[in-house]
Amino acid sequence: MVNQKNKDILQNRFKMENINRSGMKLKLFFGIAVLLLAASPIQAKPQFGRALIFDENWRFKLSDVKDGAQSNLDDSKWKLLNLPHDWTVEGVYSPDKASCTGYLPGGIGWYRKTFTVPATEKGNKVYIYFEGVYNHSEVFINGVSVGKRPNGYVSFMYDLTPYIKFGQENLVSVRVDHSQDADSRWYTGSGIYRNTYLVYASPVHIDLWGVYFKATNVTNKKADVSVETTINNESGKAANVLVSYQITDPVSGKVVAKSSKNIKIESNKKTTSAQTFSIASPKRWSLEHPNLYTLKTIVTQNGKEIDRNEQQVGIRSLTFDSNKGFALNGVWTKVKGVCIHHDAGCLGSAVPREVWERRLVTLKEMGCNAIRLSHNPQAPDVYELCDELGLLVMDEAFDEWEFAKKKWLEGWNIGAPGFQGAASYFDEWSDKDLGDMILRDRNHPSVIMWSIGNEVDYPNDPYSHPVLDHANINQPVQGGYLPDHPKAERLGVIAKRLTAVVRGLDTSRPVTAALAGVVMSNETDYPFVLDITGYNYTENRYEQDHAKYPKRVIFGSETGNGMESWKAVRDNEYVFGQFIWTGIDYLGESGLWPSRGFYSGCLDFGGFLKPRGHFRQALWSDKQVTYIGTYLKPENNNLSIDAWPIWNYNDGQIIRVVCYTNAVKTRLMLNGTQVGEAKNRDDNTGVIYWDLPYQKGKLEIIGVDKDGKQTCNYALQSSGRPYSITAQTDKSTIKSDRGLAQVVVQVVDENGVPVMISEDEVTCIIDGPGKLLGLEASNNSDIGNYNDNVQRVYHGRLLAYIQATGEEGRISLKFTAPWLKEANVTIKTVKQ
């Protein structure tokens, strides 16, 4: 059963993460669940026809090759690789590159692949489908251009049929132009960085993303279901088909509803047909029980099946109220969300599904229940995992509209900015890009709102308005009103167009946007054409705007990590939630060199919970949790939410021990003796602390309830010198076809205690049917080589990504470091 399995996974993972770093039992320290969600998607992403993964054996060259699409070009010396592929992360960090995109290079690259379409497919359609290519791509088949797409985040498809040589060898070529490599405020990557499919289909078939599922009037007794299917007739003559549906129960697998309808499609036209029916006693999709039904759509013609689609769908109800906030299935719920970008540290933007799986599981254990996909459509794997895990999604289309934002080149908010970006093609492509996002993602129950933009209204970047001259706007703006800048009223004009696109394709979710300059935007139509309004870092506007605009539904679309930002949500019923910046450390938006990226995440580059993640867990989790970190006592009495769990100092040094907890009261113990008085939880700062002289040994925090009974604990142990390496894999068996194992490598002392202050350089040696995708230590200032098998640990730890290469067998891993005992791991690869 999907729900019980997910529940067990989360419980097991929580237990492992909640074990402290005392070093008593190292195997429990790593915090990686052995078993994660096993399911691969039951339907390939194009959602029609017979879709075959098309990722293997591409040739690649990082150069703008003349005649790169021609069949007679010799590409035998080009690099042979499998997709997904991000060439930027393979580059060299350099201070002469743009800080906004992580001091890494872009460029122009060519991909080529030869393939044969069987002669038996003649008479059928042949398409190629890309989940994402960054960016300005152009696709060729046998030397003929079939289309261009400038947006690097949307999924798209081309019809190859007119140019296919059936029964013979064909050549597909893709030119990717990321020569403007300072075109984003964060890391983008470059290349065909998501999966690709070759699709065979009958001339009469379900259209791309052509099935639309919607549940209404959901009660405990029944749910009314509407399914619309668009059929594309490319046969050259009118066609009569029967469209049938079956919905199967998420637990029993039994068919609980079915329907069918005959429709006629004119030649070379598309026709949309809707059918409605009911499901009795629906098992609703929720955060705790993410039930997923299977919707089967079958198209038959003259009694013969010509197309079939299967996808998972959920039944749930959404309520947004200007006074009471947000309800899922009638249960009023605070949205505890994080914003995330699409990279994974040393892997760049080519991120395997298993990596996202581990990260999202960790965020949910932290107490997070929602993900904002900042600031673009992301990989289909992410949405599917959110469906399966029970995480809400804010799906976002754009970071800029008709004008480019500032892109920092020499460090975050430092120096003169650049102005490359997606604005160059917004006017031409925005309706299409937004519409494709809606069509692709609208059947995901996790998606609860559509965002048409992020901070496009940032005052004077570029839009301006006379209200910026007012002294009481509580939002400082350098220079005040700039009359030579674009008028802010344009925001309302564009928002009306974009919201119409969304509502023309889906009316089951609200349209929103993340406003950075709400004071200015309030003088335009922008917030008033939205269904719900996101506020970025303007919590001081919640109360007055709620009073002034009583019908406005308000939430924190982007907020800081601090206690005050959370209390503004927690203590105001009408504010339904927040999305903190950020969930996971990400490449780009870097500070002064050397800096790989932005380091405010609750998780680090390797997906491990950071101290501020423990702080967030103490605020959000329904379970009793506690954590301690330490640092030298500061002169300014600072209470940090970034205190690492280190207990190694000089004897007698005064150390500040900070505790993040949701326990009623906590006791601090040093070598079995209580330190000072037990302390109550501090609801003002979320942090309690003790200052004490350092003494080697075991430091432990014990959380208790109102009756003094222990509910949680966390302990640190002083370590000795680095002595050996330990390694633990999340999976001892992986599938031979690109299965992934994530191996945690830890430096420990002679007693097995983690050495947090270790900086040893570890080498990974692999034998067998596997390869190293990367070593990630999560050190933001380490801008060395991430393309070899050597990496220096950070806080005594790193993560190794090991991928199977296609054969069955055993992958043998050896991790070594000078003067340390090595660690060995064996991973079995099997066909599935």
Side-chain angles (χ1 to χ4, degrees):
M1 294 188 298
V2 173
N3 297 333
Q4 186 59 47
K5 183 177 182 181
N6 289 356
K7 182 178 179 181
D8 291 344
I9 290 166
L10 290 172
Q11 288 178 342
N12 291 339
R13 182 67 182 277
F14 176 80
K15 290 175 183 177
M16 298 182 81
E17 281 286 0
N18 207 38
I19 298 297
N20 53 61
R21 303 186 83 159
S22 67
M24 303 301 181
K25 292 185 178 180
L26 184 64
K27 67 179 182 179
L28 296 179
F29 150 70
F30 291 110
I32 292 187
V34 174
L35 176 66
L36 293 177
L37 301 175
S40 58
I42 61 174
Q43 169 71 17
K45 309 305 187 302
Q47 300 174 6
F48 78 99
R50 290 170 288 125
L52 309 176
I53 195 74
F54 203 55
D55 288 346
E56 293 187 348
N57 298 320
W58 287 75
R59 294 282 180 178
F60 171 72
K61 187 174 181 63
L62 184 54
S63 174
D64 193 7
V65 179
K66 182 180 180 181
D67 299 324
Q70 297 307 307
S71 299
N72 59 2
L73 178 72
D74 181 8
D75 60 12
S76 60
K77 295 183 179 180
W78 291 21
K79 183 178 182 180
L80 182 65
L81 53 77
N82 295 334
L83 306 178
H85 174 240
D86 173 8
W87 81 65
T88 286
V89 81
E90 298 173 348
V92 177
Y93 286 96
S94 175
D96 65 351
K97 301 302 179 185
S99 60
C100 56
T101 46
Y103 296 109
L104 284 166
I108 298 175
W110 278 87
Y111 296 85
R112 288 162 56 97
K113 177 181 171 71
T114 56
F115 65 104
T116 300
V117 177
T120 53
E121 295 293 343
K122 193 168 185 178
N124 284 332
K125 303 291 291 184
V126 183
Y127 301 92
I128 190 167
Y129 177 88
F130 296 91
E131 289 186 353
V133 183
Y134 203 92
N135 61 350
H136 291 279
S137 63
E138 183 172 10
V139 178
F140 303 81
I141 179 69
N142 295 323
V144 179
S145 175
V146 291
K148 298 180 179 180
R149 198 64 180 255
N151 191 310
Y153 298 112
V154 296
S155 301
F156 58 94
M157 184 180 75
Y158 297 123
D159 183 1
L160 306 182
T161 314
Y163 315 102
I164 289 291
K165 296 180 286 188
F166 291 90
Q168 302 178 50
E169 188 175 84
N170 296 271
L171 171 69
V172 62
S173 309
V174 183
R175 181 180 185 268
V176 184
D177 183 355
H178 192 203
S179 53
Q180 291 197 355
D181 54 10
D183 61 341
S184 172
R185 298 188 300 122
W186 61 90
Y187 179 86
T188 62
S190 305
I192 309 177
Y193 69 101
R194 297 182 190 156
N195 292 321
T196 301
Y197 295 88
L198 192 69
V199 185
Y200 298 135
S202 165
V204 181
H205 59 83
I206 300 169
D207 201 20
L208 175 63
W209 311 312
V211 177
Y212 176 32
F213 173 90
K214 183 167 59 174
T216 57
N217 303 319
V218 181
T219 67
N220 291 332
K221 293 183 177 181
K222 75 177 182 70
D224 295 331
V225 169
S226 169
V227 184
E228 296 179 6
T229 300
T230 300
I231 304 296
N232 188 357
N233 180 6
E234 300 180 275
S235 68
K237 58 183 178 181
N240 293 289
V241 300
L242 178 68
V243 180
S244 303
Y245 303 110
Q246 292 182 359
I247 296 182
T248 57
D249 186 89
V251 177
S252 69
K254 295 181 179 179
V255 175
V256 294
K258 56 185 178 179
S259 179
S260 60
K261 183 178 182 180
N262 288 295
I263 65 171
K264 180 178 181 179
I265 314 102
E266 298 298 330
S267 171
N268 299 316
K269 299 287 186 181
K270 297 180 182 181
T271 296
T272 299
S273 172
Q275 299 183 44
T276 58
F277 42 94
S278 296
I279 295 177
S281 303
K283 296 179 175 64
R284 285 183 258 195
W285 185 92
S286 68
L287 301 176
E288 299 80 14
H289 303 287
N291 292 297
L292 294 171
Y293 289 80
T294 299
L295 170 63
K296 298 180 181 179
T297 304
I298 303 167
V299 182
T300 57
Q301 186 177 31
N302 300 323
K304 179 182 177 182
E305 182 178 308
I306 59 173
D307 204 358
R308 169 187 287 262
N309 167 269
E310 293 187 11
Q311 53 187 299
Q312 293 182 315
V313 295
I315 295 173
R316 83 291 186 262
S317 63
L318 309 175
T319 304
F320 293 87
D321 184 272
S322 60
N323 292 312
K324 295 182 67 64
F326 166 71
L328 178 64
N329 299 322
V331 178
W332 296 104
T333 302
K334 287 294 186 182
V335 170
K336 304 171 182 177
V338 299
C339 306
I340 63 171
H341 278 312
H342 73 302
D343 72 275
C346 68
L347 301 179
S349 58
V351 185
R353 182 185 180 96
E354 296 94 332
V355 176
W356 279 121
E357 188 174 62
R358 175 172 166 263
R359 289 170 159 218
L360 293 172
V361 166
T362 302
L363 286 171
K364 182 149 189 176
E365 290 166 3
M366 187 186 75
C368 171
N369 64 17
I371 307 293
R372 178 188 177 207
L373 299 179
S374 316
H375 304 287
N376 47 263
Q378 299 200 16
D381 283 338
V382 176
Y383 301 82
E384 291 175 357
L385 288 165
C386 289
D387 289 344
E388 295 171 12
L389 288 168
L391 287 165
L392 307 172
V393 170
M394 175 178 171
D395 208 1
E396 193 156 67
F398 307 114
D399 185 56
E400 58 189 28
W401 287 353
E402 60 183 349
F403 295 104
K405 291 180 178 177
K406 297 173 182 176
K407 314 297 190 307
W408 301 106
L409 308 178
E410 303 170 19
W412 188 64
N413 279 356
I414 296 171
F419 291 93
Q420 298 175 2
S424 62
Y425 53 84
F426 178 82
D427 288 344
E428 180 182 359
W429 283 96
S430 55
D431 283 11
K432 174 67 172 170
D433 290 343
L434 176 60
D436 284 353
M437 182 187 84
I438 306 301
L439 289 170
R440 191 195 70 169
D441 300 339
R442 62 185 177 176
N443 286 341
H444 289 288
S446 57
V447 177
I448 64 166
M449 62 181 109
W450 306 114
S451 172
I452 59 172
N454 170 65
E455 296 184 346
V456 294
D457 64 333
Y458 200 89
N460 292 335
D461 187 15
Y463 298 102
S464 196
H465 190 278
V467 74
L468 299 180
D469 278 338
H470 295 184
N472 61 349
I473 64 172
N474 294 323
Q475 187 174 7
V477 178
Q478 185 175 4
Y481 173 50
L482 302 178
D484 60 334
H485 276 223
K487 306 302 181 187
E489 285 77 8
R490 283 287 297 160
L491 294 165
V493 174
I494 297 172
K496 287 178 182 178
R497 171 169 62 84
L498 296 179
T499 55
V501 171
V502 176
R503 292 170 183 140
L505 298 171
D506 179 48
T507 56
S508 67
R509 301 168 177 87
V511 185
T512 188
L515 276 59
V518 67
V519 172
M520 182 179 73
S521 290
N522 282 341
E523 303 299 315
T524 76
D525 291 333
Y526 185 18
F528 303 99
V529 301
L530 305 172
D531 298 309
I532 60 178
T533 307
Y535 284 52
N536 282 16
Y537 306 105
T538 46
E539 292 90 344
N540 60 356
R541 298 293 309 184
Y542 291 169
E543 183 177 358
Q544 55 190 301
D545 278 14
H546 177 59
K548 187 173 183 179
Y549 310 107
K551 294 184 178 180
R552 179 178 294 180
V553 178
I554 293 173
F555 70 105
S557 44
E558 188 172 317
T559 74
N561 280 276
M563 187 69 173
E564 290 305 312
S565 295
W566 169 237
K567 289 172 71 175
V569 175
R570 186 196 66 183
D571 299 343
N572 290 295
E573 186 179 24
Y574 61 88
V575 181
F576 74 74
Q578 69 172 166
F579 291 88
I580 64 171
W581 195 265
T582 178
I584 309 173
D585 291 344
Y586 58 93
L587 299 178
E589 207 163 2
S590 304
L592 287 171
W593 175 270
S595 172
R596 298 169 67 197
F598 209 79
Y599 209 55
S600 66
C602 296
L603 276 57
D604 62 23
F605 290 125
F608 293 101
L609 202 64
K610 293 166 57 180
R612 62 176 48 202
H614 286 281
F615 175 78
R616 185 58 42 179
Q617 187 177 41
L619 300 183
W620 281 357
S621 179
D622 294 328
K623 298 181 175 66
Q624 289 288 287
V625 296
T626 193
Y627 167 91
I628 47 174
T630 69
Y631 48 95
L632 292 172
K633 180 184 177 181
E635 294 182 1
N636 61 2
N637 205 37
N638 174 53
L639 294 179
S640 175
I641 63 171
D642 294 311
W644 288 93
I646 297 172
W647 194 236
N648 281 82
Y649 295 93
N650 295 325
D651 286 339
Q653 281 186 303
I654 304 302
I655 308 303
R656 173 150 295 179
V657 179
V658 293
C659 172
Y660 319 140
T661 186
N662 54 13
V664 174
K665 184 173 289 190
T666 55
R667 299 194 301 265
L668 183 67
M669 312 293 291
L670 177 58
N671 294 325
T673 302
Q674 182 169 324
V675 178
E677 298 290 330
K679 296 192 176 184
N680 295 323
R681 181 176 180 273
D682 188 332
D683 195 51
N684 291 320
T685 63
V687 181
I688 54 180
Y689 72 97
W690 295 260
D691 293 331
L692 65 152
Y694 174 73
Q695 180 183 339
K696 182 179 179 180
K698 180 182 178 181
L699 186 70
E700 183 177 19
I701 193 77
I702 298 173
V704 298
D705 61 19
K706 62 181 180 179
D707 299 319
K709 182 179 179 181
Q710 179 174 327
T711 59
C712 51
N713 75 304
Y714 193 95
L716 309 180
Q717 181 75 40
S718 303
S719 69
R721 294 180 179 276
Y723 178 78
S724 65
I725 300 171
T726 64
Q728 180 173 326
T729 177
D730 65 334
K731 296 176 184 176
S732 58
T733 301
I734 59 177
K735 61 182 181 180
S736 57
D737 181 16
R738 299 191 295 177
L740 188 80
Q742 298 171 77
V743 182
V744 181
V745 178
Q746 177 75 55
V747 175
V748 299
D749 68 9
E750 193 168 6
N751 296 315
V753 177
V755 184
M756 285 288 291
I757 58 177
S758 165
E759 296 181 348
D760 292 88
E761 190 173 76
V762 173
T763 298
C764 174
I765 301 171
I766 300 181
D767 183 48
K771 65 178 181 179
L772 176 68
L773 291 187
L775 295 171
E776 180 57 74
S778 302
N779 187 346
N780 186 50
S781 61
D782 185 347
I783 41 75
N785 187 357
Y786 284 83
N787 299 308
D788 59 13
N789 65 333
V790 180
Q791 184 62 48
R792 193 173 298 279
V793 298
Y794 184 59
H795 291 133
R797 179 176 64 189
L798 60 76
L799 184 70
Y801 297 106
I802 309 297
Q803 188 175 60
T805 52
E807 305 84 22
E808 287 192 302
R810 292 185 181 277
I811 304 172
S812 297
L813 305 174
K814 181 190 294 186
F815 296 96
T816 66
W819 313 111
L820 302 185
K821 287 189 175 182
E822 67 184 41
N824 294 276
V825 174
T826 299
I827 301 168
K828 185 179 180 180
T829 63
V830 297
K831 290 185 178 180
Q832 293 183 354

